[in-house]
Amino acid sequence: PGPGPGLTGPCRAGLAELRARREELSGRIREEEAERSRLQGRIWALTERLARTSESLARHLAARGELDRTIAETEAAYGKILESSQTLLDVLKGEIGNAGKASEPQSTSKEKEKQARGQKHS
């Protein structure tokens, strides 16, 4: 009919052992939950930091791109100025050369003509 008095002791001991295991497991669960919570906090902090760094990086990349464009435009304009200056200098040199030829003393030409005539008369 029912369990005998001898079975009660071993059942109680088995239950006590199971409860001890459960308590130990509960302690491990609490430790792992705390560790998980710490890790989630670190992940959140790192995610925030990553977002701020990404935004800053995007702003810096845009600023550098703008500077690159400005530098390229300035260099191109400077090149055109140098080219125009060289052209102007070349034109000026040519005009100075032409003005020098035009301002040669006329007596030199006339003297040459006289000398040429004088040689004919001789």
Side-chain angles (χ1 to χ4, degrees), residues 3-68:
L7 293 176
T8 309
C11 274
R12 284 188 183 171
L15 279 173
E17 184 179 335
L18 289 175
R19 285 187 177 120
R21 283 183 181 173
R22 182 180 187 279
E23 191 57 37
E24 180 185 336
L25 194 54
S26 292
R28 288 184 183 169
I29 288 170
R30 283 188 300 272
E31 288 172 3
E32 288 182 357
E33 285 175 338
E35 176 67 8
R36 182 177 67 182
S37 180
R38 282 191 298 272
L39 290 172
Q40 284 176 334
R42 287 174 58 190
I43 288 171
W44 179 83
L46 288 172
T47 300
E48 287 294 310
R49 190 170 155 195
L50 177 61
R52 285 191 309 271
T53 301
S54 295
E55 290 170 7
S56 177
L57 178 60
R59 284 191 308 272
H60 288 136
L61 287 170
R64 186 180 68 182
E66 187 61 34
L67 285 173
D68 287 344

Side-chain angles (χ1 to χ4, degrees), residues 36 41 85 101 110:
R36 182 177 67 182
S85 296
K101 290 177 186 174
K110 289 181 181 178

Side-chain angles (χ1 to χ4, degrees), residues 45-110:
L46 288 172
T47 300
E48 287 294 310
R49 190 170 155 195
L50 177 61
R52 285 191 309 271
T53 301
S54 295
E55 290 170 7
S56 177
L57 178 60
R59 284 191 308 272
H60 288 136
L61 287 170
R64 186 180 68 182
E66 187 61 34
L67 285 173
D68 287 344
R69 281 188 293 279
T70 301
I71 288 168
E73 290 170 3
T74 303
E75 286 175 340
Y78 181 69
K80 288 179 182 178
I81 289 170
L82 287 179
E83 186 178 320
S84 296
S85 296
Q86 187 60 49
T87 301
L88 180 60
L89 185 59
D90 292 343
V91 167
L92 187 58
K93 284 180 182 177
E95 290 298 320
I96 290 172
N98 289 339
K101 290 177 186 174
S103 67
E104 284 182 2
Q106 294 296 324
S107 60
T108 307
S109 300
K110 289 181 181 178

